[in-house]
Amino acid sequence: MTTASPPFRLVLRTLPSLAAARQSMPNSSACSRYFSTITRPGCSPSFILPPMMASWYQPTTAERGTRLARSASSSSSQHEEGNDVARAMGMLSRADAVCFDVDSTVIDEEGIDVLADTLGKGPEVSAWTTRAMGGDVKFEDALRARLDIIRPSRSDIVRCLDDHPLRLTPGVSDLISALHERGTHVYLVSGGFRLMIEPIAKILGVTNDRIYANTILFDGCGMYAGFDATEPTSADGGKPRALNDIKARYGYETMIMVGDGATDAQAKPPADAFIGFGGVITREAVRERACWFVRDFDAMIDIISLPAGGIMLANSTKD
């Protein structure tokens, strides 16, 4: 990231006692100067992406296996929500690519709503967002309507991200780190805007070539000039197209889609399983369509962290 990039920051929302841990990162770009750090005993400083609340204690493999067995077998467990939970767990355990929605999944808000709020257009835009995420209107119609309302300039977006830092959902940094450590490729597939997503991807270790998102167009003066309608995610059914492109390019055998919205549920197929996320907002239509519906990322982290073969109990005969 170059020093010409606009300043972005991620903040600790529910950890006032850790405010003193915030510090400027030496020799960092403008985009990273606000990141907070904390050091675990015996470890080098690591980014805290708010509010990363994991305990220093890490359960053993046996304990994770016990928790997973309980999740797969107990009908009363919240981890049992979904149409095909055991198979989704099994698919996640061996996935070579996992695709994440961004708004209300990787971050705990809707980026376009944040932008609209800063420009005094919040209620009008939020109503369109709700309709789009619930599947009540075609995504391309909602995208065009919202952008026509706010018409953001490049400087509007830079100022928005500086004044209102985007907030990562609790646990998502740990989850993506676990996937990377296992060698699984992570993609961000979003109906949001690339300009707002790239700084988050940088912190999560996701390269720009693994971002599928919308591109806002600006004229020579930096004023709003529309959006790139050739982006797969700019229209209804765009996420299945994006995942088809990913699979065709790289030949992944097992691909998972994780997200909170109706457009994410559309991505199965080509995704082998759709994991609905309700940790920020629960959309009933999404919960009903999800292979597995989770309200936090802990159970997913447990599955990913198990050694090869440790998830066999979660595999069904429906491969």
Side-chain angles (χ1 to χ4, degrees):
M1 189 178 294
T2 66
T3 55
S5 301
F8 301 94
R9 40 184 185 159
L10 298 172
V11 297
L12 293 165
R13 297 190 63 212
T14 60
L15 297 177
S17 63
L18 292 182
R22 294 176 180 164
Q23 60 185 43
S24 298
M25 299 299 291
N27 302 317
S28 62
S29 71
C31 291
S32 63
R33 69 175 181 268
Y34 297 108
F35 300 157
S36 301
T37 63
I38 192 165
T39 305
R40 298 187 183 190
C43 300
S44 59
S46 56
F47 289 116
I48 291 298
L49 301 175
M52 202 170 89
M53 300 291 289
S55 167
W56 299 147
Y57 169 72
Q58 296 297 320
T60 65
T61 296
E63 288 167 333
R64 284 187 172 125
T66 299
R67 289 166 62 182
L68 178 59
R70 188 184 305 120
S71 297
S73 63
S74 172
S75 60
S76 64
S77 170
Q78 69 165 333
H79 301 319
E80 191 66 17
E81 290 186 87
N83 297 317
D84 202 353
V85 176
R87 185 171 184 272
M89 288 180 174
M91 288 291 179
L92 178 62
S93 76
R94 62 178 182 269
D96 45 3
V98 178
C99 303
F100 289 86
D101 176 43
V102 174
D103 298 306
S104 295
T105 301
V106 169
I107 63 173
D108 70 354
E109 53 200 335
E110 295 285 329
I112 193 170
D113 291 350
V114 172
L115 180 59
D117 282 340
T118 65
L119 297 176
K121 303 290 186 179
E124 298 171 74
V125 168
S126 181
W128 277 101
T129 300
T130 299
R131 293 176 65 192
M133 294 302 99
D136 297 330
V137 63
K138 285 187 175 181
F139 182 80
E140 61 266 34
D141 294 337
L143 178 63
R144 190 179 303 278
R146 289 177 291 177
L147 284 173
D148 283 345
I149 291 169
I150 57 180
R151 302 187 66 82
S153 67
R154 185 184 295 275
S155 62
D156 287 336
I157 296 174
V158 171
R159 184 168 57 253
C160 168
L161 292 171
D162 192 32
D163 293 344
H164 186 114
L166 296 177
R167 304 179 303 238
L168 290 181
T169 301
V172 74
S173 177
D174 287 343
L175 174 57
I176 290 177
S177 292
L179 287 166
H180 284 155
E181 288 171 10
R182 194 181 70 172
T184 302
H185 290 176
V186 172
Y187 290 82
L188 302 181
V189 182
S190 173
F193 306 127
R194 184 177 295 274
L195 188 60
M196 301 178 78
I197 292 170
E198 286 182 348
I200 295 170
K202 175 77 171 179
I203 300 309
L204 293 173
V206 177
T207 55
N208 286 353
D209 62 315
R210 292 181 183 166
I211 299 172
Y212 283 70
N214 288 313
T215 301
I216 298 177
L217 304 176
F218 304 100
D219 64 20
C221 297
M223 303 304 292
Y224 175 71
F227 65 93
D228 184 355
T230 67
E231 294 278 11
T233 56
S234 67
D236 199 53
K239 291 187 179 179
R241 285 193 291 275
L243 266 65
N244 268 323
D245 182 70
I246 292 168
K247 185 170 278 192
R249 285 172 181 258
Y250 304 107
Y252 296 117
E253 293 184 3
T254 305
M255 180 180 290
I256 306 293
M257 182 72 205
V258 182
D260 71 290
T263 58
D264 306 309
Q266 291 176 349
K268 178 186 179 294
D272 297 285
F274 167 57
I275 299 177
F277 181 69
V280 176
I281 183 169
T282 296
R283 307 183 198 278
E284 193 61 27
V286 174
R287 190 182 68 81
E288 291 173 354
R289 294 180 63 181
C291 302
W292 183 19
F293 189 79
V294 301
R295 299 177 188 273
D296 59 55
F297 292 120
D298 290 348
M300 294 177 66
I301 294 170
D302 285 345
I303 289 174
I304 292 162
S305 299
L306 285 172
I311 192 70
M312 293 304 294
L313 60 92
N315 290 338
S316 75
T317 59
K318 296 168 60 179
D319 267 358

